[in-house]
């Protein structure tokens, strides 16, 4: 309850008018071959907000994330039309797609502990960008693991294989790795799918803290998770962006579309 | 009434050895025999080779001469000597140079097929490379003799084109398909999630391959390389035809040499069964057997390491 009140306070303070748009999506259509995964989506995501994205399977949520960091470049059958503007620049105008991706942290549904040490997992991104100073890397490891609520559990075995950690720990390691690049935008794709409820709550607490430092897109199949975390929530259904609204309003039943209300109240999907 | 009947039938079924049960047991036995026969054959070859060479190794062989003398003169009437150092050096030189040529190309090819090539290109490349593995070794030997020989003589202005370089090139081409397809399998075994994770961190294609994929596939790649070494080491016919087959301690890649395998192939048919020479050839066989065994074992242990770690 406290967090809900705090959240309401937050959004009131910001005010709808002077919110800064972090990511703007216009007429976004994503296709795999002839199959349309997302059709003509339009929405804005504001700075330092948690945007929840809910919807049943196959509604285009993951495709939406893949379009944002241009993972579509690597997939020959995936075509993206429309405009996505990140920090005021069309993402297609980033000539160096790797620089774009290093501004955006991604956490996948299944934890991916890369088969290297915990230390190397967290420092991979800085090392890719050419940072070799041991002190900087040490500091990054401690900072990111602490922010991901994993430091206390692994600080004595940083040289162990990251892929040998438990599922929940690997997922927090993935979050630490995503944070190591100091992203402006953190995208989480159903992060709690392979994580136990206790770890899920810990990660949710982490996300609440991170909100002050970055924008978060939280794709989730748990409607209540969106309710707990998101400032605003978008509902996707069968490749259609049905609506986006204040989470509180949506969960109190003030939806523009009946389907959103039905989904939130568990009447289908 | 009907319930009781059903129960009794079910119980009876638990005790009856029906057709499916018999087929299952029969096939199990058949598979067991097939699997076991492989062990028996390997063991049989092992025992045969050891039996033929054992007497020589135990009683007549001078270990120091055998391993450290370059003089292989088994047919000398007055004083036959059995030193295989030159043969070891020949085999080692050919194997080393062929791997130096083969490994970079094979790994490069595997990375290209596994990570860069798409759709049709990838399929055609794989088929072509596997086709390369199907060429008989005597054909490779013929290529060495008829094409590479004059080519090397002309290009490098050396008197003889049948030498370490020639046989190494041939062996590199022969080992390449095996190393490439095994290395590609190792790369393919790396989960796509690793690729996506690296991409999402802003890694370039090359960084992804170099920092994530290759380390993850390290053991598989190493075992592919070792099996390539085993292939080069054990090859006989092509080496016999392309190496020049003359006993020499090689000092450059343009020297003709003789390989351990080729020596056995060339001489075994002309020695009286049971003679010292015959037994010495089997002693070489034992030596080859041990080395190939060690190489294969190492490759196997490395792959096991992959599964564990």
């Amino acid at each position: 309850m406290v967090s809900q009140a705090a959240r309401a306070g937050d959004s009131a303070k910001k005010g709808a008018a002077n919110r800064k748009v972090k990511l703007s999506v216009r007429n976004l259509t994503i296709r795999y071959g002839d199959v349309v995964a997302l059709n003509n989506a339009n929405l804005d995501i504001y700075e330092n907000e948690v945007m929840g994205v809910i919807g049943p399977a196959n509604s285009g949520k993951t495709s939406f994330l893949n379009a944002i960091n241009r993972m579509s470049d690597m997939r020959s059958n995936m075509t993206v039309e429309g405009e996505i503007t990140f920090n005021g620049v069309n993402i297609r105008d980033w000539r160096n797609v790797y620089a774009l991706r290093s501004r955006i942290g991604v956490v996948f549904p299944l934890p991916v502990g890369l088969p290297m040490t915990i230390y190397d997992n967290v420092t991979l991104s800085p090392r890719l960008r050419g940072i070799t100073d041991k002190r900087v890397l040490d500091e990054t490891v401690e900072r990111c693991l602490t922010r991901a609520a994993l430091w206390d559990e692994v600080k004595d075995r940083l040289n162990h294989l990251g892929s040998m950690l438990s599922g929940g720990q690997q997922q927090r390691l993935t979050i630490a790795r995503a944070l190591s690049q100091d992203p402006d935008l953190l995208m989480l794709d159903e992060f709690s799918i392979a994580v136990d409820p206790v770890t899920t709550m810990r990660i949710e607490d982490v996300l609440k803290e991170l909100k002050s430092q970055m924008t978060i897109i939280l794709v989730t199949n748990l409607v209540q998770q969106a309710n707990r975390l998101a400032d605003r929530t978008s509902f996707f259904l069968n490749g259609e962006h049905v609506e986006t609204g204040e989470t509180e309003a949506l969960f109190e039943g003030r939806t523009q579309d009946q389907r959103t209300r039905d989904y939130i109240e568990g009447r289908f999907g | 009434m009907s319930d009781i009947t059903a129960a009794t039938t079910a119980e009876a079924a638990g005790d009856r050895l029906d057709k499916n049960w018999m087929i299952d047991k029969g096939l199990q036995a058949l598979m067991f025999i097939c699997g076991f026969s492989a062990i028996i054959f390997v063991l049989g070859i092992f025992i045969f080779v050891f039996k033929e060479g054992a007497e020589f190794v135990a009683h007549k062989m001078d270990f120091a001469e055998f391993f450290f003398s370059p003089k292989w003169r088994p047919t000398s009437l007055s004083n036959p000597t059995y030193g295989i150092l030159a043969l070891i050096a020949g085999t080692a030189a050919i194997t080393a140079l062929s791997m130096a040529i083969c490994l970079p190309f094979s790994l490069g090819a595997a990375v290209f097929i596994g990570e860069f090539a798409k759709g049709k290109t990838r399929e055609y490349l794989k088929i072509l490379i596997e086709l390369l593995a199907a060429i008989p070794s005597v054909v490779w030997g013929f290529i060495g003799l008829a094409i590479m020989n004059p080519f090397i003589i002309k290009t490098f202005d050396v008197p003889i084109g049948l030498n370490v370089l020639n046989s190494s090139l041939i062996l590199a081409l022969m080992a390449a398909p095996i190393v490439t397809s095994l290395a590609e399998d190792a790369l393919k075994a790396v989960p796509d999630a690793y690729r996506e994770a690296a991409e999402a961190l802003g890694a370039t294609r090359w960084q992804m391959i170099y920092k994530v994929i290759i380390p993850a596939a390290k053991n598989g790649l190493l075992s592919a390389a070792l099996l390539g070494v085993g292939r080069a080491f054990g090859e006989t016919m092509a080496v016999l035809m392309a190496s020049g087959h003359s006993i020499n301690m090689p000092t450059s890649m343009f020297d003709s040499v003789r390989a351990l395998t080729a020596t056995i192939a060339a001489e075994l048919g002309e020695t009286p069964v049971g003679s010292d020479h015959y037994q010495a050839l089997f002693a070489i066989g034992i030596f080859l057997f041990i080395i190939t065994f060690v190489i294969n074992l190492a490759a196997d242990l490395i792959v096991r390491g992959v599964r564990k770690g």
Side-chain angles (χ1 to χ4, degrees), chain B residues 95-109 168-180 224-225 228-229 232:
Chain B
T95 306
L97 184 60
S98 70
M99 284 301 108
I101 300 165
C102 165
L103 291 184
F105 279 103
S106 301
L107 292 184
S168 296
L169 283 169
I170 296 293
L171 274 185
L173 284 167
M174 292 177 74
I178 296 172
V179 180
T180 306
V229 172

Side-chain angles (χ1 to χ4, degrees), chain A residues 63-75:
Chain A
S63 304
F64 174 60
L65 296 190
N66 282 337
I68 293 173
N69 70 347
R70 277 175 60 184
M71 292 290 253
S72 49
D73 287 14
M74 298 287 281
R75 294 182 179 74

Side-chain angles (χ1 to χ4, degrees), chain A residues 71 74-75 98 101 104 106 108 112-116 124-125 128 161 177 181, chain B residues 118 193-194 196-205 207 211-212 216 308-309:
Chain A
M71 292 290 253
M74 298 287 281
R75 294 182 179 74
Y98 310 111
R101 288 185 189 144
I104 302 174
V106 185
F108 299 96
V112 186
L114 292 172
M116 44 181 92
L124 180 61
S125 173
L128 289 176
L161 270 183
R177 200 172 57 208
Q181 47 192 357
Chain B
K118 281 188 190 126
Y194 292 177
E196 284 180 10
E199 268 175 43
L201 285 174
T204 63
R205 257 303 177 74
Q207 284 174 328
K211 299 245 171 159
V212 177
K308 268 190 207 153

Side-chain angles (χ1 to χ4, degrees), chain B residues 115-185:
Chain B
E115 304 294 324
F116 289 94
K118 281 188 190 126
K120 282 246 165 70
T121 327
R122 186 190 161 115
E123 292 310 309
Y124 287 139
L125 265 176
K126 286 187 75 163
I127 291 169
L128 273 175
I129 284 175
E130 270 150 32
L131 204 67
L132 212 59
I135 298 175
S137 60
V138 67
V139 173
W140 284 114
F142 178 76
I143 293 172
L145 209 60
I147 299 170
M148 302 292 290
N149 183 23
F151 176 77
I152 289 176
I153 293 175
K154 219 189 284 170
T155 316
F156 297 102
D157 196 23
V158 285
I160 269 191
L162 299 174
N163 50 26
V164 175
L165 178 65
N166 190 336
S167 40
S168 296
L169 283 169
I170 296 293
L171 274 185
L173 284 167
M174 292 177 74
I178 296 172
V179 180
T180 306
S181 41
L182 287 173
E184 201 245 323
D185 286 346

Side-chain angles (χ1 to χ4, degrees), chain B residues 18-31:
Chain B
D18 62 4
K19 203 169 122 212
N20 283 337
W21 186 90
M22 281 186 271
I23 291 176
D24 184 55
K25 284 290 167 204
L27 282 178
Q28 262 185 39
L30 195 67
M31 295 303 145

